[in-house]
Amino acid sequence: MSLRVVHYINQFFAQIGGEEKADYAPEYREGAVGPGLALNAAFKGEAEVVGTVICGDSYFNENLDAAKATVLKMISDAKPDVVVCGPAFNAGRYGVACGTVAAAVKDELNLPVVTGMYEENPGADMFKNKVYIIATKNSAAGMRDAAPKMASLAIKLAKGEKIGASAEEGYMPNGLRVNFFEAERGSTRAVKMLLNKLAGKPYTTEFPMPSFDRVAPGAAITDLAHTTIALVTSGGIVPKGNPDHIESSSASKFGRYDISSFEDLTAADHETAHGGYDPVYANEDADRVLPVDVLRKMEKEGKIGGIYPYFFTTVGNGTAVASAKKYGEAIGKELRDAGIKAAILTST
Amino acid sequence: MLLVTNNEKVREKFGSLCTLQYVEGGHVDVLIHVRDLVHQGHKLLTHPLAGSVKPNETPFRSVALDDASGALDLESLELIEAALNVCRQFPPRFHRGEDAPADMREDFAEIDFRLIDGAIAPQLQ
Amino acid sequence: MVKEIERAGVTVVHMCTVTPISMTVGANRIVPTIAIPHPLGNPALTHEEEFELRYKLVEKALKAFETPVDDQTIFD
Amino acid sequence: MRLELGEIHISDIKLGDCSKVENGTLYVNVEELRALLLEDEDLASVDFEVVHPGESVRIIPVKDVIEPRVKVEGSGGVFPGMISKVTTVGSGKTHVLKGCAVVTTGKVVGFQEGIIDMTGPGAEYTPFSKLNNLVMICEPKEGIKQHQHEHAIRMAGLKAAAYLGALGKDVTPDETKVYETSGVMSGKEKYPDLPRVGYVLMLQSQGLLHDTYVYGVDMKKSMPTILNPTETMDGAILSGNCVSACDKNTTYHHLNNPVIHDLLEQHGKTLNFVGVIITNENVYLADKERSSDWSTKLAQFLELDGALVSQEGFGNPDTDLIMNCKKLEAAGIKTVIITDEYAGRDGASQSLADADPAADAVVTGGNANMVIHLPKMDKVIGHPEAANIIAGGFDGALEADGSITAELQVITGATNEMGFNKLSAR
């Protein structure tokens, strides 16, 4: 018996219509529709598209929670062995929808899933580390290439077979390094890569250096007098006695403490947990690291709108990059949710 | 020269030849101590991941820094942080020297000793 | 940490002593401070002088908030 | 320089009472060879085993692998500075016993590494499973120190390889390959339009069990210098490295350096291979700075357009690798580096201990932390208990049935950083 596949596509690929039909609500149809036929051909009888879920791109993105739930229910009711979404090529909202559905299928239905899109599709960056995304060309002209790769990976996943490296299977690198045998030995590949580099021709490094990524500068604050500023420090300032036992180095957590009632930090109420520098000065007067006293004055003078009631603290030294990133994300999320637009981060 | 080690063998030979700080603890404890010294303005003289014995295998580590405590040296900071990062990726097999079987302990200690000896003995002459 | 907070849509001013590290960690608005153990203070000064020093540094930070930047910028 | 390499294909090794090469079979008089090796006062005993590709045999722990060679014409002899005099090699004619190797085994330290499986999944990862190997089990006299022990095994392997190589001196090679290199000036005249490419060969040189010798010189005590590519084929570079089995360069790798062979293959066609810059991987940071400055300076001296850099070992050599790459790129020399990865058993960790955006062209020999299951072999040569304490082995890696579960890094040559293998990772 062939494997059961459910296919997720948008209104355009279902031949319902273009942008004017993008608010099309989720619909389930038996059998393959549009690109599902190409998948069926690529499955070569090993698997078959038994049903297709169609949803307009605008509808999906504007009614995210409801649409996701409906789509998941339709997929689950069809009892698939594996789910395929898209491919979305360069269509941004379609790509995000495919990624969202695929991630939900994996996490909530615990089913194997494959999607596909162009590497610059915003959905790619959002989901490539979460689900297998076959890298496609930037337009539907790439269907002929994409369908066999998606079909082959879908079958392997459905059968629980070992998945090869990204370069073998055609999925986007997902941050997990997987070994495989190349056709040529390393030295030969290196000589070829060098010749391409010398000739100014394109070449692909086998190990991209960890990204030295930059974040675009935040917008300038035009109305400081009505802006609440949050305080963050990697200088380890904590309430006296370090109630959460933030480690002096290699901190495994960050602290979040109420400063709404403080006009000035003093040796009586705050100190530092930092182990990487001489802590005497910060222990004498924590304002030397976290300038609560002057910000309160500025608040009174009307220069700033106020101070966010909580400050965030961690110990910069020795804290693993991955942890620092995690703390930053958590702090960023809280501030964004609270509508805070400005933060001062002090480091020692 | 300032030598940080948790290896008794290194302490025996170099304790009288340079300033030596003996760390009671494992490999990572030595690196953390070195990191703190770097923050205090000491420069690394030897690579904190000397040797190709995997850092999660050997419980011993010896690192040399300069005596002077000047401005923070960014290269030293990057090296020591990267070394700590590598060590944290892999859980140590033997946390401290005494956790390793006797013959391995002796060999780990000997290699650590030889590596640091090869690096700093010419500098101390 | 700077990057992740800024990524969330919060404009960040990084006040630190070792500005090259600040550049490395990807801060976009950087205000250099006094010294590693006391970035926003100077124990050699009187309490009042120190407050004044800190006030001026934070004013620089406010200035940095108000200034549109395209790239990593140090506000000396 | 012009070197003719006469390859004598060896399809079998037999132990007997007369040493000779006949019809592709290498016959070894064990007693004669043993007597020669036991002249070394530090060795108590040497035993020999012959293993063939496909046999159910495991060799553990492997110290070095050496290909037998002999100088037939031209100056000097093989393994200069160790076995022969220090005379410059690399020209004339050399015979090679192709398809076989001397494998030395011995437990120099408690955590000695290196497995060669002649069949099964492990065999796919080591090039030495494809060779007929004369395995030498060398046991030292009681009470000698680790460095004496290492020296004794290293010399025994080289002596044996030279002894066996000499048997091919008067044998007509099955195949002859000619390698010809140009001088700096003549090369430029001959190939005015081809890009000038050099090879920066990083040699392990950190100290005990981490050393490499060039014409007998301990590389950690040398400044970077220039070799003619063919010198390596006569054994100018010899391994004294016992650590990090998967990415150490054995003497066999140095003799058959794949980067040198592939660059010579392209020499005069797509590029002009100007020379080999050898540099070291020292522990002292000032040495790292100086050596990478010098390798770049020499590259500029040779007016290179491009460079390939290969690495040896794990951890701090990443720093040398990145320094070399950064400085070469900053000097305007287009650079490709070859390394391997320690990305954790799940492949999710940071692969290298150092990184830089200048390293934008990287070839990888694979993730050494990948877990591999090596089934029981019918025969184990060496010290099977070493599996339990091998780097990258789990506690109790050696299971009751004789199988081993461990990381790929236990296998000799598995993730070679000269690009000897096809293994890679993405």
Side-chain angles (χ1 to χ4, degrees):
Chain A
M1 210 183 77
S2 68
L3 296 159
R4 295 172 62 84
V5 180
V6 172
H7 191 199
Y8 174 86
I9 58 176
N10 72 355
Q11 85 286 348
F12 179 75
F13 282 94
Q15 293 146 0
I16 290 167
E19 193 58 32
E20 77 286 357
K21 295 286 186 188
D23 56 354
Y24 198 80
E27 180 198 340
Y28 180 78
R29 289 193 202 166
E30 295 286 336
V33 177
L37 300 170
L39 285 176
N40 270 347
F43 285 139
K44 295 196 176 87
E46 274 202 81
E48 192 188 352
V49 177
V50 294
T52 304
V53 177
I54 302 157
C55 181
D57 290 332
S58 302
Y59 185 91
F60 188 90
N61 286 292
E62 284 162 16
N63 306 283
L64 192 62
D65 291 337
K68 194 169 88 178
T70 311
V71 166
L72 275 193
K73 171 114 190 4
M74 288 172 170
I75 291 174
S76 153
D77 287 350
K79 301 198 174 359
D81 297 308
V82 59
V83 178
V84 176
C85 303
F89 303 107
N90 60 345
R93 283 174 306 159
Y94 187 22
V96 173
C98 283
T100 309
V101 170
V105 165
K106 185 179 166 205
D107 295 341
E108 294 171 36
L109 302 182
N110 285 314
L111 285 171
V113 61
V114 178
T115 179
M117 63 191 79
Y118 181 53
E119 60 178 355
E120 288 177 17
N121 189 314
D125 257 356
M126 290 167 69
F127 293 101
K128 68 183 176 191
N129 288 354
K130 299 193 174 89
V131 292
Y132 287 113
I133 304 181
I134 294 289
T136 72
K137 292 188 177 151
N138 65 356
S139 80
M143 187 68 82
R144 195 190 296 269
D145 286 338
K149 289 181 192 162
M150 292 175 75
S152 138
L153 186 56
I155 289 174
K156 279 192 180 177
L157 285 167
K159 289 182 171 171
E161 288 176 6
K162 187 174 174 289
I163 304 302
S166 54
E168 291 175 288
E169 307 280 0
Y171 61 87
M172 294 180 190
N174 56 4
L176 295 184
R177 304 293 292 170
V178 179
N179 285 348
F180 72 107
F181 288 99
E182 280 274 10
E184 291 173 321
R185 65 181 183 179
S187 54
T188 310
R189 305 195 313 265
V191 170
K192 286 188 174 172
M193 196 183 284
L194 182 60
L195 285 170
N196 281 330
K197 193 170 176 178
L198 283 165
K201 291 184 190 158
Y203 61 90
T204 308
T205 182
E206 296 178 4
F207 173 71
M209 286 288 133
S211 60
F212 297 86
D213 76 323
R214 290 277 175 262
V215 172
I221 309 286
T222 49
D223 186 17
L224 269 178
H226 297 99
T227 300
T228 300
I229 294 178
L231 275 173
V232 186
T233 184
S234 62
I237 300 300
V238 289
K240 187 94 179 166
N242 192 4
D244 295 321
H245 309 289
I246 307 268
E247 297 93 330
S248 62
S249 66
S250 319
S252 63
K253 49 182 167 295
F254 69 92
R256 174 180 178 275
Y257 301 107
D258 191 342
I259 39 166
S260 56
S261 61
F262 287 95
E263 290 294 313
D264 182 13
L265 307 182
T266 67
D269 46 66
H270 285 81
E271 64 183 11
T272 181
H274 202 292
Y277 63 91
D278 188 342
V280 174
Y281 308 109
N283 286 341
E284 279 175 6
D285 182 356
D287 290 306
R288 285 170 175 158
V289 177
L290 202 67
V292 173
D293 56 352
V294 303
L295 281 167
R296 287 286 177 224
K297 184 165 184 226
M298 289 172 170
E299 187 181 4
K300 290 202 185 74
E301 291 168 349
K303 285 191 172 169
I304 61 170
I307 306 179
Y308 187 67
Y310 298 92
F311 79 95
F312 303 91
T313 185
T314 180
V315 173
N317 70 325
T319 299
V321 176
S323 311
K325 190 169 181 298
K326 207 169 66 193
Y327 305 155
E329 280 166 1
I331 295 167
K333 183 173 184 312
E334 170 169 342
L335 295 179
R336 183 184 55 209
D337 292 349
I340 300 301
K341 295 270 177 253
I344 290 176
L345 190 153
T346 65
S347 290
T348 47
Chain B
M1 184 181 298
L2 185 57
L3 190 55
V4 182
T5 185
N6 64 344
N7 184 351
E8 186 55 43
K9 211 166 191 157
V10 172
R11 171 153 75 174
E12 263 171 40
K13 164 146 185 203
F14 290 102
S16 58
L17 298 175
C18 62
T19 318
L20 187 134
Q21 299 190 353
Y22 191 79
V23 174
E24 294 283 349
H27 186 163
V28 171
D29 300 307
V30 172
L31 294 186
I32 287 174
H33 187 77
V34 169
R35 193 265 328 276
D36 291 349
L37 289 169
V38 167
H39 275 284
Q40 287 164 27
H42 294 275
K43 249 192 220 155
L44 283 176
L45 294 177
T46 62
H47 197 291
L49 287 179
S52 285
V53 182
K54 305 297 172 288
N56 59 331
E57 294 281 334
T58 178
F60 296 110
R61 177 57 73 198
S62 304
V63 181
L65 302 99
D66 68 3
D67 278 319
S69 164
L72 177 67
D73 181 56
L74 287 178
E75 276 174 42
S76 297
L77 186 63
E78 281 171 15
L79 277 173
I80 188 68
E81 287 292 348
L84 273 163
N85 201 30
V86 166
C87 289
R88 288 196 191 100
Q89 284 189 14
F90 305 107
R93 189 158 173 194
F94 309 111
H95 181 65
R96 297 170 64 131
E98 49 268 40
D99 301 336
D103 62 328
M104 285 173 84
R105 180 165 66 232
E106 156 60 20
D107 288 334
F108 283 131
E110 173 74 8
I111 291 217
D112 175 66
F113 169 75
R114 286 273 174 168
L115 291 177
I116 197 74
D117 184 54
I120 68 174
Q123 319 293 329
L124 287 170
Q125 276 163 9
Chain C
M1 232 164 48
V2 178
K3 275 189 301 199
E4 279 65 36
I5 298 175
E6 193 136 292
R7 218 192 291 275
V10 180
T11 302
V12 179
V13 173
H14 191 200
M15 305 187 75
C16 75
T17 304
V18 191
T19 52
I21 292 189
S22 183
M23 297 292 280
T24 311
V25 299
N28 288 311
R29 290 176 170 85
I30 302 165
V31 173
T33 52
I34 309 297
I36 291 176
H38 45 81
L40 289 149
N42 183 349
L45 304 176
T46 67
H47 192 73
E48 289 68 26
E49 286 169 336
E50 219 187 339
F51 185 88
E52 195 54 32
L53 172 76
R54 179 152 60 245
Y55 192 93
K56 288 205 169 107
L57 282 168
V58 177
E59 271 189 322
K60 276 190 195 171
L62 298 188
K63 182 82 199 148
F65 274 127
E66 290 174 329
T67 312
V69 301
D70 298 327
D71 203 357
Q72 295 187 296
T73 308
I74 295 177
F75 292 84
D76 265 324
Chain D
M1 261 186 188
R2 183 177 189 280
L3 180 69
E4 265 182 48
L5 220 51
E7 296 185 353
I8 300 160
H9 296 160
I10 299 296
S11 53
D12 197 6
I13 302 177
K14 287 196 165 82
L15 304 183
D17 45 17
C18 173
S19 291
K20 62 183 175 187
V21 173
E22 208 172 79
N23 297 326
T25 298
L26 171 62
Y27 296 87
V28 185
N29 176 341
V30 168
E31 292 318 315
E32 186 177 279
L33 180 54
R34 180 180 287 129
L36 173 75
L37 300 177
L38 288 179
E39 285 172 12
D40 187 331
E41 295 177 345
D42 289 337
L43 283 183
S45 69
V46 183
D47 285 306
F48 300 89
E49 296 265 7
V50 174
V51 301
H52 303 94
E55 287 177 353
S56 179
V57 178
R58 169 166 300 145
I59 311 167
I60 175 174
V62 173
K63 183 187 179 304
D64 199 8
V65 184
I66 310 147
E67 190 173 52
R69 296 193 170 206
V70 65
K71 204 88 200 121
V72 178
E73 283 171 19
S75 67
V78 292
F79 313 135
M82 283 278 180
I83 298 294
S84 306
K85 290 185 175 161
V86 295
T87 315
T88 300
V89 291
S91 61
K93 191 189 274 185
T94 299
H95 281 183
V96 187
L97 302 191
K98 210 76 210 167
C100 73
V102 172
V103 174
T104 49
T105 168
K107 210 168 139 190
V108 180
V109 285
F111 52 90
Q112 176 82 39
E113 308 170 71
I115 292 177
I116 297 174
D117 275 3
M118 297 302 289
T119 189
E124 291 175 33
Y125 290 95
T126 178
F128 307 119
S129 63
K130 284 105 193 157
L131 302 176
N132 297 291
N133 294 316
L134 179 67
V135 185
M136 308 202 314
I137 304 109
C138 307
E139 296 300 338
K141 291 227 169 95
E142 279 291 311
I144 70 165
K145 298 288 290 178
Q146 293 96 329
H147 66 280
Q148 295 167 308
H149 189 174
E150 189 279 328
H151 178 264
I153 299 186
R154 168 159 40 93
M155 292 309 291
L158 294 173
K159 277 183 207 164
Y163 169 86
L164 298 176
L167 304 175
K169 190 165 186 180
D170 299 320
V171 177
T172 310
D174 297 292
E175 197 178 345
T176 296
K177 293 176 178 159
V178 179
Y179 298 99
E180 194 156 8
T181 60
S182 321
V184 176
M185 288 294 284
S186 61
K188 191 151 195 161
E189 283 159 18
K190 216 164 156 188
Y191 310 112
D193 300 323
L194 293 180
R196 299 170 62 77
V197 172
Y199 172 31
V200 177
L201 168 54
M202 291 169 46
L203 302 174
Q204 180 62 271
S205 62
Q206 300 181 66
L208 179 68
L209 308 184
H210 292 77
D211 284 316
T212 306
Y213 300 89
V214 179
Y215 283 91
V217 174
D218 180 347
M219 194 57 200
K220 72 171 164 292
K221 295 173 181 160
S222 170
M223 296 291 238
T225 185
I226 295 175
L227 286 193
N228 195 297
T230 53
E231 292 179 68
T232 61
M233 300 176 192
D234 282 336
I237 305 176
L238 301 172
S239 169
N241 185 7
C242 311
V243 182
S244 213
C246 63
D247 54 17
K248 78 172 181 190
N249 297 327
T250 65
T251 298
Y252 189 96
H253 288 111
H254 286 298
L255 290 165
N256 292 282
N257 189 311
V259 175
I260 289 178
H261 280 81
D262 286 343
L263 284 173
L264 283 173
E265 173 68 32
Q266 293 300 318
H267 179 59
K269 296 178 193 160
T270 57
L271 53 81
N272 174 7
F273 183 15
V274 183
V276 181
I277 297 167
I278 53 168
T279 182
N280 49 20
E281 301 176 350
N282 284 13
V283 172
Y284 208 68
L285 288 171
D287 291 349
K288 290 186 187 298
E289 283 291 356
R290 186 189 304 112
S291 291
S292 51
D293 279 351
W294 273 60
S295 57
T296 302
K297 181 181 69 180
L298 293 174
Q300 288 178 296
F301 228 74
L302 296 175
E303 297 184 273
L304 298 183
D305 299 308
L308 271 171
V309 186
S310 74
Q311 187 189 356
E312 178 170 8
F314 157 85
N316 86 81
D318 293 353
T319 300
D320 300 276
L321 178 72
I322 294 296
M323 278 185 182
N324 280 318
C325 179
K326 246 161 83 171
K327 291 177 185 180
L328 287 164
E329 282 282 343
I333 297 165
K334 300 264 189 292
T335 302
V336 172
I337 62 177
I338 311 177
T339 184
D340 68 347
E341 303 179 46
Y342 288 79
R345 288 174 187 170
D346 58 1
S349 293
Q350 202 45 259
S351 294
L352 299 180
D354 203 347
D356 192 88
D360 60 3
V362 183
V363 166
T364 171
N367 177 15
N369 294 128
M370 185 193 94
V371 173
I372 185 167
H373 184 76
L374 304 173
K376 170 189 182 296
M377 294 283 143
D378 293 345
K379 183 173 178 183
V380 178
I381 299 173
H383 298 261
E385 73 281 7
N388 261 341
I389 46 177
I390 210 158
F394 298 72
D395 281 327
L398 178 63
E399 285 155 36
D401 66 355
S403 69
I404 293 173
T405 303
E407 293 175 12
L408 197 52
Q409 55 168 309
V410 302
I411 296 179
T412 300
T415 59
N416 179 270
E417 293 166 292
M418 287 173 166
F420 202 85
N421 309 326
K422 291 179 177 173
L423 188 69
S424 181
R426 292 291 191 287

